[in-house]
Amino acid sequence: MILFLLAYLGGALTIVSPCILPVLPFVFARADQPFVRSGLPMLLGMAVTFAGVATLAVVGGGWVVEANNYGRLAALVILGLFGLLLLFPALADRATRPLVALGSRLSQNASGGHARSSFLSSLLLGVATGLLWAPCAGPVLGLLLTGAALQGASAQTSLLLLAYALGAATSLALALLVGGRVFAAMKRSIRAGEWVRKALGAAVLAGVVAIGLGLDTGLLTRLSLASTARFEQSLLERLHPDGAMPKAMPGGDTLADMGPFPSLAGATGWMNSPPLTAEGLRGKVVLIDFWTYSCINCLRTIPYVKAWEAKYRDKGLVVIGVHTPEFAFERDPDNVAKAIKDLGITYPVALDNRYAIWRGFDNRYWPAHYFIDAKGRVRAARFGEGHQAESEKIIQRLIAENGVALGAMDTAVVEAQGVGEGESTRRDRSPETYLGYDRAQHFASPGGFVRDARHDYVLPVLAVRNDWALGGAWIVGGEHAVSAAPGARIAFRFRGRDLHLVLGAGDGTQPVRFRITIDGKAPGTDHGLDIDAGGNGTVTSQRLYQLVRQQGPQERVFQIEFLDPGAQAFAFTFG
C-alpha cells in the first residue's frame, strides 16, 4: 500500500515539472466543456495509455521503443489534425468521406460548438495525448520501472504505473477545473470565442511541433520551473522498500551483514556466461564489480579483479562484472564485447543497461566492489580505486569461512599495461570533467554554451587551473560535444601525470584525425599510448584515449585540434 501511495504522490508532482508542458495545450483545449464528458475521459485515456505503454516497455524491452516511436508518430498526426480543425473548422468538410463525420465532431467538441461533447472522442484524444506524454523519469518512476525489471511484469507492476499516471491526471484535473472557470469567464467577458479557439489550435500545433522536434524530452525537461527531485528523493528515503542495499561500508577487519544478495534478473544480457542468479551462486564466494569501459578508474582496477579471479577461482570465488553504462555508446553490446576482448576479461559480465542491478545494490560509484559470502549475504563493499590489499583480504576471509583452506598466500600478482598501468598518487590532480552542458564545469569560452546548435567558439587564454574551452565550430549537447568543421579545438589547463579523453567518431564509420600540443609544443616523450611523439592520433571507435603520460604530475595547458569534422568529445579524466 505504501508503494501505491508513493507512486500516486510521485505522479501528482509532475504538474510542477517541465515535462508536463507538452501535454497542457491538449488538456486546456477542452477547458470550456463539461468536465465529466470531456476533461475526465481525456485524462483517463492519458493515464491508461501511459500505464499500458510503460508495462509493454517492461515486457518487451528494446522492441517496444520502436513501437512507441511509431505510436508517437501516429499520435502527432492525430493531434496535428485536431489542431488544424481548431484553427480551420472548414477543413473537416473537405476531408475524405469516411473521416468527415469524425473530423466535424472532433472540431465541434474541441471548439465548444452546439454539439455535445462525446465521451468517446475525448477518450480517443486522451489516448493520443498519453502516447505523447514523456514524463520526467525521476526517482519515483525510476523505482517503479526498476522493480518491474527485477521482478518481471505483473499485475502489481501495471497497477503501480497506473497509480503514478492517475496521480498526474489528478493534478491536471484540478488545474483543468480551475482553468475551465477562468476560461469560461474570459469568453463571457470579452466574447472572443473564435479567437480563443484559434489560439488553442495554434497552441496545440505548437505543441505537436515541439514534440516532433524532440523538445519535450530535450529542452523542456531541462527547464527549471520547479525542482521536484529533492522532494521525491525525501519520499523515497522515508518510504524506501526493503531489499535495497544500505549505504554503510564496513572498514578494518569488520565484515558486517549488509543484507541478502540482490537479484541479477534485471540484466539485459550476459557475456562470457549464461545468465547467473543469486540462488544459483549459493555455496560460492562472489565478487561483484560495477564498471564501465570508458571509466579510467575502472580500467585501472580491472587488472586486480582479473588477478583475483585467476588466483582464487579454484578456491570457490566467482567474479561477476556488472557493466553499467555512463554514456549512450556504452549501451551497445558490440562495443562492450570489443572492450571485454581488448581487456582480456574472461569472467562473466552482466549488461546492466537499465540500471536494474545498480539500483538493486543501491550503488553510486564506478568502480564498486561488493563481497558476498557462500550463504548469499553481502558482507562488505569498497568504492573507487585503491583498497586492493584490503579487498584481497576480504576475499581470503570469505573463502576461509566457506571451509576452504588457503594456507600462506602471497598477494595476487597484477600485470597492468596500457591505461590501466598504475595511477598518480597525487590528490591535487584535475577532476573528471564532462564536455556536455548537462554536467560541465569550469567552461571558459566567452558567452558560455550555445545548446544543441552549431556555434563558433573562441579559445581564451586559460590562466586558472581546471578551466577549459572550445575553439572553432561545435555542436554542444547534453552528454557530449561534436566538432562541426575541421580545425575545431579543445583546450584544458590541467594538473596531473596522465590525461585521458573519451572520444568517438560521429557516424561510427569514418575515422577522425587529430593532433595535440602541450604548452603549445608537440608532446615528445610525454605522449600517451594513443598518439605519437608528434601528437598525432586518430579516433576510430568510441572509447577512452590516453593522450598524455608524463614522468610526474605537472600543471600544463593541453590542446587538441580535430583535423576532420564529426569528433564526439565526452569527458576528460586524469591520473
Side-chain angles (χ1 to χ4, degrees):
M1 186 62 190
I2 291 178
L3 273 181
F4 284 101
L5 177 61
L6 178 62
Y8 182 83
L9 292 175
L13 287 172
T14 59
I15 190 64
V16 290
S17 296
C19 56
I20 206 69
L21 290 180
V23 174
L24 293 181
F26 311 129
V27 173
F28 285 107
R30 313 183 74 74
D32 64 331
Q33 300 187 27
F35 178 75
V36 174
R37 294 198 307 270
S38 181
L40 180 60
M42 181 179 184
L43 294 174
L44 287 176
M46 281 177 54
V48 172
T49 301
F50 167 76
V53 170
T55 301
L56 285 176
V58 173
V59 175
W63 67 267
V64 82
V65 174
E66 293 300 323
N68 190 36
N69 286 339
Y70 292 127
R72 286 171 63 88
L73 179 61
L76 284 172
V77 172
I78 292 173
L79 287 170
L81 176 62
F82 174 49
L84 288 173
L85 292 177
L86 282 168
L87 277 172
F88 309 108
L91 287 179
D93 297 331
R94 301 177 185 177
T96 58
R97 286 188 177 183
L99 297 177
V100 169
L102 176 61
S104 299
R105 191 165 187 178
L106 287 175
S107 178
Q108 291 169 356
N109 288 340
S111 61
H114 297 294
R116 297 177 63 187
S117 178
S118 165
F119 186 97
L120 182 60
S121 65
S122 297
L123 187 65
L124 173 64
L125 288 174
V127 169
T129 307
L131 286 170
L132 297 177
W133 180 22
C136 298
V140 172
L141 184 56
L143 172 66
L144 300 181
L145 294 176
T146 298
L150 288 172
Q151 301 174 11
S154 65
Q156 183 182 19
T157 297
S158 297
L159 289 174
L160 283 171
L161 292 168
L162 182 60
Y164 181 90
L166 288 175
T170 301
S171 295
L172 288 171
L174 292 175
L176 185 57
L177 288 171
V178 174
R181 295 191 183 96
V182 174
F183 186 93
M186 182 174 63
K187 285 186 68 176
R188 287 194 302 268
S189 62
I190 64 176
R191 297 182 179 180
E194 184 71 13
W195 287 105
V196 170
R197 179 184 57 74
K198 290 185 177 181
L200 288 173
V204 169
L205 290 176
V208 169
V209 171
I211 293 169
L213 294 175
L215 297 181
D216 58 322
T217 54
L219 175 62
L220 292 176
T221 57
R222 292 190 292 269
L223 292 176
S224 299
L225 298 184
S227 177
T228 64
R230 181 177 300 178
F231 184 72
E232 288 191 43
Q233 189 61 43
S234 67
L235 283 175
L236 283 175
E237 291 174 355
R238 296 186 182 187
L239 303 174
H240 204 289
D242 294 335
M245 294 300 302
K247 299 180 180 65
M249 183 178 75
D253 295 330
T254 302
L255 293 183
D257 187 337
M258 299 173 65
F261 189 168
S263 173
L264 301 174
T268 56
W270 286 83
M271 294 188 176
N272 297 339
S273 170
L276 301 177
T277 65
E279 295 76 14
L281 291 167
R282 289 290 177 90
K284 299 287 188 179
V285 174
V286 180
L287 169 61
I288 298 291
D289 173 30
F290 283 96
W291 70 293
T292 187
Y293 78 81
S294 72
C295 165
I296 183 59
N297 308 91
C298 301
L299 296 178
R300 286 197 287 246
T301 301
I302 282 176
Y304 294 93
V305 177
K306 290 169 55 181
W308 296 332
E309 194 274 337
K311 183 177 180 180
Y312 299 106
R313 181 192 311 140
D314 295 337
K315 305 297 183 181
L317 175 68
V318 175
V319 173
I320 300 175
V322 178
H323 187 273
T324 310
E326 182 177 15
F327 299 113
F329 65 82
E330 294 171 316
R331 298 176 182 270
D332 187 335
D334 292 338
N335 289 346
V336 181
K338 183 179 185 303
I340 288 174
K341 181 180 179 181
D342 292 343
L343 294 168
I345 294 174
T346 58
Y347 50 79
V349 175
L351 304 183
D352 190 28
N353 283 356
R354 297 178 186 143
Y355 278 60
I357 303 175
W358 175 285
R359 293 192 179 100
F361 278 84
D362 197 20
N363 186 46
R364 311 284 178 85
Y365 307 98
W366 291 282
H369 294 152
Y370 292 86
F371 303 85
I372 299 154
D373 66 21
K375 297 179 181 179
R377 309 295 296 182
V378 180
R379 299 290 298 281
R382 295 292 181 268
F383 307 129
E385 291 185 78
H387 316 296
Q388 287 92 350
E390 183 183 358
S391 295
E392 188 167 0
K393 288 180 180 178
I394 294 173
I395 294 172
Q396 292 173 349
R397 178 168 172 177
L398 294 179
I399 290 174
E401 285 184 5
N402 200 28
V404 178
L406 290 175
M409 300 198 73
D410 297 327
T411 302
V413 176
V414 175
E415 296 182 0
Q417 299 178 346
V419 295
E421 183 181 352
E423 65 168 315
S424 170
T425 58
R426 296 288 296 256
R427 296 305 173 192
D428 60 348
R429 64 191 179 198
S430 293
E432 182 174 16
T433 301
Y434 296 91
L435 277 65
Y437 55 73
D438 281 345
R439 292 187 284 177
Q441 294 181 322
H442 305 292
F443 183 59
S445 287
F449 290 118
V450 175
R451 300 186 173 196
D452 302 309
R454 176 176 170 141
H455 181 69
D456 289 326
Y457 292 88
V458 176
L459 274 180
V461 175
L462 300 179
V464 179
R465 182 193 299 179
N466 301 330
D467 276 359
W468 67 280
L470 299 173
W474 288 88
I475 301 172
V476 180
E479 186 180 74
H480 62 277
V482 179
S483 62
R489 293 162 291 158
I490 310 173
F492 198 121
R493 189 176 191 90
F494 77 100
R495 180 174 178 81
R497 184 195 66 187
D498 305 335
L499 179 147
H500 311 91
L501 182 55
V502 179
L503 294 168
D507 61 6
T509 59
Q510 295 297 322
V512 177
R513 298 168 299 151
F514 65 85
R515 181 171 53 244
I516 80 156
T517 60
I518 305 175
D519 293 336
K521 301 178 182 177
T525 58
D526 291 333
H527 71 89
L529 292 171
D530 291 300
I531 61 171
D532 59 25
N536 301 295
T538 304
V539 181
T540 56
S541 61
Q542 293 169 314
R543 63 177 178 87
L544 180 142
Y545 289 76
Q546 186 186 81
L547 303 179
V548 176
R549 167 154 282 192
Q550 306 176 95
Q551 295 301 310
Q554 301 180 57
E555 183 168 327
R556 314 287 292 274
V557 175
F558 165 88
Q559 182 170 306
I560 182 170
E561 179 182 3
F562 295 98
L563 307 181
D564 304 302
Q568 299 171 321
F570 292 84
F572 283 98
T573 57
F574 303 90

